[in-house]
Amino acid sequence: VRFSPVRSAARRRRIVAALARPPPVPPSSLRLAARPKRLPGSAPGRRSLGDAMCTCSHDEEWPEDTWNLYQHIERAEGLNTVGDETMARGIFKPHGRRRDPAPFIESDADEEIIVKVWFVAPVNIRRICIASCGSAEEADPESHPSSVRCFTGPAAEGLGFDSMEDTQPAQVIPLVQNPEAEAFTQCLMKPFTQVSFLLLHFPANHGGVERTRVSYVGLQGEHSHAKRQAVDAKYELVPNAEDTQEAQRILGLDKTGAMGRMQ
């Protein structure tokens, strides 16, 4: 059998051209979903837990409030605040209500305030905004906190005004007067990742006055859908005979010539 050199060369060109063509684009129904957009202000190309964390809103009244972690707070308590200590929960509001003068918290005996926050599930906090909003009659500008010391993790749950002096905070943030609740601060990556508890300590205010006032705390970041809950586990200190026999069978100790037996 003889092959024409012209036909063979043409066939080789067709094969090379076919290999050079890009693969066909699959139908839209088969394409992979695009990766979620990164948070404003977060590092490009980096995600703490990949797709395990998300930024979607769980508040039907504020569906566009996708960045605010107020929806994922289990409870909050205020120390050295006027009124009930649970009133501190009210300062964590939707972004659209950040300028509302109330609810707010105000220090009682002196200018210091502690706010403790427990989250329903671990969160990644990326930015924080703290403000005292309202008219001059409602919110004295000098009562705005001048700084906040942030403590994270379960070890911080037992801290108080005296014990925190010997504890290193995760981050110390100087605060400017922020009556429009527009200024925010970037949080450090490592200590604010997978946070289940947050303590905010406001040691002083801008005017050195007796009362410190806070009306809004905004926390931007990502949340997970795993919830904290107690684990119900049962243990047997003395196994019964059936369990002992089954364990011996699994370990091969029930056979003749085994090196030993479970007592």
Side-chain angles (χ1 to χ4, degrees):
V1 180
R2 300 181 62 183
F3 294 96
S4 169
V6 177
R7 291 184 179 180
S8 298
R11 185 169 179 272
R12 285 196 298 269
R13 287 195 296 270
R14 287 197 299 272
I15 293 175
V16 172
L19 293 175
R21 288 196 297 268
V25 179
S28 59
S29 59
L30 299 179
R31 294 176 189 172
L32 294 176
R35 289 180 62 84
K37 295 182 180 179
R38 66 184 181 91
L39 281 171
S42 61
R46 296 183 62 182
R47 292 186 66 84
S48 301
L49 291 177
D51 295 335
M53 309 296 289
C54 65
T55 59
C56 58
S57 174
H58 290 192
D59 192 335
E60 296 181 358
E61 184 179 359
W62 302 91
E64 300 301 323
D65 205 356
T66 57
W67 65 272
N68 202 327
L69 296 174
Y70 77 95
Q71 309 164 54
H72 309 286
I73 294 176
E74 180 180 7
R75 61 190 176 95
E77 296 178 359
L79 304 182
N80 191 38
T81 56
V82 177
D84 192 335
E85 61 181 13
T86 59
M87 291 177 60
R89 180 63 180 86
I91 64 177
F92 298 91
K93 310 171 186 176
H95 186 68
R97 294 181 51 201
R98 65 191 184 280
R99 298 191 184 99
D100 290 0
F104 67 92
I105 59 173
E106 198 171 39
S107 63
D108 189 4
D110 54 25
E111 71 276 14
E112 289 190 75
I113 295 178
I114 287 179
V115 177
K116 295 185 175 184
V117 185
W118 289 264
F119 294 95
V120 175
V123 299
N124 300 338
I125 305 173
R126 298 298 174 234
R127 301 197 303 183
I128 185 169
C129 173
I130 295 173
S132 177
C133 303
S135 62
E137 292 76 17
E138 294 172 317
D140 181 359
E142 294 188 344
S143 67
H144 192 290
S146 56
S147 66
V148 60
R149 304 170 71 222
C150 305
F151 300 82
T152 59
E157 293 189 35
L159 293 179
F161 290 104
D162 297 330
S163 56
M164 70 171 51
E165 295 301 325
D166 299 327
T167 305
Q168 181 68 27
Q171 187 172 356
V172 179
I173 302 175
L175 301 175
V176 298
Q177 293 184 2
N178 193 19
E180 298 299 320
E182 295 292 346
F184 64 87
T185 301
Q186 200 80 15
C187 296
L188 299 176
M189 180 69 70
K190 185 176 181 179
F192 289 89
T193 297
Q194 287 290 282
V195 174
S196 58
F197 175 81
L198 172 67
L199 185 150
L200 302 174
H201 175 221
F202 303 97
N205 51 57
H206 279 277
V209 295
E210 185 178 352
R211 296 288 178 89
T212 298
R213 182 183 185 274
V214 180
S215 64
Y216 177 70
V217 175
L219 303 174
Q220 175 188 2
E222 305 160 314
H223 67 275
S224 64
H225 293 280
K227 295 185 178 181
R228 296 191 306 167
Q229 56 184 6
V231 177
D232 185 12
K234 296 181 180 179
Y235 301 91
E236 291 185 355
L237 297 179
V238 180
N240 56 42
E242 294 181 358
D243 293 338
T244 302
Q245 294 173 2
E246 180 65 16
Q248 290 176 347
R249 186 189 66 79
I250 294 174
L251 296 175
L253 300 178
D254 60 333
K255 300 178 181 179
T256 304
M259 296 298 295
R261 286 187 172 275
M262 295 182 65
Q263 299 298 326

